């Protein structure tokens, strides 16, 4: 893609999963522009290591000023005038944001709804459609991700047994498959391998049960999560940001999507990741529970073993 002599400001709010499915669009925008300044959550932007992407907090004072009723001062205008174009997925429909921003930038800003997917449209495709770019593929995104191995990663490299990485949580308890403890027990019995669980603050607060795992990576920075996912030969997780990160790293695995998930919009953006979905709620456990009646641990173990054998035969 040809590069223009321009700089762009990109405003993107949202949770980790939103941010990761936006990365294919962001990397494509970095090919279009000489420099991109991204305003997003600091926890997420710590993962980026792109030479043409500078990161701000989404709570940057310049951005906050755009939402106020009073017109922004000269300093805000001076900062924004450096950008040839603004792409924003925040502020759509807000009372003052569009007017304030349009007054301070040279070209009309491009302000999009945060989520307005067409039927059957993947989130990656939606954000790319807004910006009129072709979304970057995982292989082109991986070089721009910061990966920092933790001491646990260095320890795991010395083991020769099969390794399974799991993320038993997600942003919403109703998305959490309840079969992880049984899956862990069945997998360890069948393979003699080890299991490492990734547990973030939400999982620790809710005491999300992962079963008798061998190792736990607790509340790690995203750069350490990325290193573990890159090391793991197999991953199983729920509909979560961590699963989207595994997809961008081309980690082989399976993602479980329950009745409240939308695979057409949120399936992992990777051909290395299979999706097991339950389209209807359980008649016994109710709509808010993603139980083993919908997906059994035995079925999941069988699918994992099929993926492992297929991967082994391709590498032979």
């Amino acid at each position: 893609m040809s590069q223009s002599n321009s700089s762009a400001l990109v405003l993107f709010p949202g949770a980790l999963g939103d941010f990761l499915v936006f990365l294919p669009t962001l990397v494509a925008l970095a090919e279009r522009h000489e420099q991109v300044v991204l305003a997003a959550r600091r926890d997420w932007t710590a993962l980026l290591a792109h030479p043409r992407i500078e990161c701000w907090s989404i709570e940057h004072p310049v951005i906050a000023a755009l939402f106020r009723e009073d017109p922004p001062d000269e300093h805000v205008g001076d900062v924004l005038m450096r950008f040839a174009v603004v792409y924003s997925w925040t502020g759509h429909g807000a009372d003052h944001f569009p007017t304030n921003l349009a007054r301070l930038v040279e070209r009309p800003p491009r302000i999009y709804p945060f989520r307005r997917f067409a039927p059957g449209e993947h989130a990656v495709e939606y954000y790319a459609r807004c910006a009129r770019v072709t979304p970057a593929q995982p292989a082109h995104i991986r070089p721009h991700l910061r990966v920092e191995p933790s001491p646990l990663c260095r320890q795991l490299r010395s083991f020769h047994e099969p390794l399974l990485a799991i993320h038993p949580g997600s942003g919403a308890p109703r998305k959490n498959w309840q079969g992880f403890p049984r899956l862990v027990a069945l997998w360890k019995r069948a393979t003699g391998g080890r299991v490492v669980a990734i547990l973030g603050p939400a999982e620790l607060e809710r005491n999300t049960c992962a079963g008798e795992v061998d190792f736990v990576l607790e509340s790690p920075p995203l750069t350490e999560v990325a290193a573990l996912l890159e090391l793991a030969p197999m991953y199983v997780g729920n509909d979560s940001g961590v699963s989207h990160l595994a997809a961008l790293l081309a980690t082989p695995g399976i993602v479980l999507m329950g009745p409240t998930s939308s695979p057409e919009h949120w399936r992992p953006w990777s051909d290395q990741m299979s999706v097991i979905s339950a389209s209807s709620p359980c008649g016994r456990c109710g709509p808010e529970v993603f139980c083993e009646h919908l997906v059994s641990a035995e079925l999941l173990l069988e699918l994992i073993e099929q993926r492992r054998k297929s991967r082994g035969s391709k590498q032979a």
Side-chain angles (χ1 to χ4, degrees):
M1 186 181 296
S2 62
Q3 180 182 327
S4 63
N5 183 22
S6 64
S7 60
L9 175 63
V10 177
L11 310 181
F12 192 84
L16 176 59
D18 302 303
F19 175 76
L20 291 170
V21 296
F22 177 66
L23 283 188
T25 293
L26 179 67
V27 171
L29 286 173
E31 293 299 314
R32 172 185 287 176
H33 295 280
E34 188 175 67
Q35 184 191 34
V36 170
V37 173
L38 168 69
R41 279 190 55 175
R42 285 289 193 190
D43 289 347
W44 315 153
T45 60
L47 190 63
L48 285 175
H50 195 294
R52 289 207 297 274
I53 299 176
E54 176 187 342
C55 297
W56 290 357
S57 167
I58 192 66
E59 298 177 355
H60 193 288
V62 166
I63 299 167
L66 297 172
F67 286 92
R68 298 181 189 131
E69 182 176 357
D70 297 333
D73 59 27
E74 291 184 7
H75 170 70
V76 174
D78 290 343
V79 172
L80 292 177
M81 282 301 293
R82 67 183 268 207
F83 300 108
V85 61
V86 177
Y87 306 87
S88 180
W89 283 266
T90 189
H92 185 272
D95 289 337
H96 309 291
F97 181 91
T99 302
N100 285 336
L101 184 56
R103 186 185 296 122
L104 297 172
V105 294
E106 190 173 325
R107 299 182 194 174
R110 305 177 187 186
I111 305 174
Y112 315 104
F114 181 50
R115 294 177 182 171
R116 191 175 287 175
F117 309 140
E121 183 178 45
H122 195 281
V124 168
E125 297 167 333
Y126 168 69
Y127 294 124
R129 173 167 64 86
C130 290
R132 300 181 182 178
V133 295
T134 300
Q137 294 300 311
H140 295 103
I141 296 170
R142 168 60 191 90
H144 305 303
L145 298 180
R146 185 175 287 111
V147 175
E148 298 174 341
S150 65
L152 175 58
C153 276
R154 292 189 283 271
Q155 181 183 0
L156 292 174
R157 286 197 187 102
S158 66
F159 296 132
H160 300 291
E161 300 92 340
L163 178 67
L164 175 67
I166 65 170
H167 179 54
S170 73
R174 67 183 182 278
K175 293 183 178 181
N176 296 347
W177 180 59
Q178 295 188 336
F180 275 101
R182 258 175 50 79
L183 173 65
V184 168
L186 290 173
W187 189 83
K188 291 179 69 172
R189 189 183 312 147
T191 67
R194 300 178 187 238
V195 179
V196 55
I198 303 165
L199 300 179
E203 288 76 51
L204 294 170
E205 182 180 341
R206 297 171 188 151
N207 197 26
T208 301
C209 185
E212 297 297 322
V213 300
D214 299 283
F215 307 98
V216 176
L217 193 62
E218 290 190 7
S219 299
L222 277 180
T223 52
E224 292 186 6
V225 176
L228 176 60
L229 292 172
E230 198 165 56
L231 171 69
M234 185 61 59
Y235 167 83
V236 178
N238 295 307
D239 177 12
S240 70
V242 172
S243 294
H244 287 297
L245 180 56
L248 290 182
L249 293 163
T251 304
I254 298 172
V255 172
L256 294 138
M257 305 190 82
T260 60
S261 297
S262 303
E264 70 274 21
H265 301 313
W266 297 106
R267 67 186 183 278
W269 188 251
S270 170
D271 58 8
Q272 296 296 311
M273 200 74 72
S274 301
V275 174
I276 304 299
S277 61
S279 58
S280 58
C282 177
R284 285 176 279 182
C285 300
E288 295 298 309
V289 180
F290 188 9
C291 61
E292 276 202 79
H293 300 132
L294 299 176
V295 178
S296 71
E298 287 82 2
L299 171 63
L300 197 53
L301 176 65
E302 181 180 343
L303 295 173
I304 293 170
E305 288 302 286
Q306 289 175 4
R307 290 296 307 269
R308 288 181 66 231
K309 289 175 182 176
S310 172
R311 181 173 170 80
S313 64
K314 290 178 181 178
Q315 291 178 336

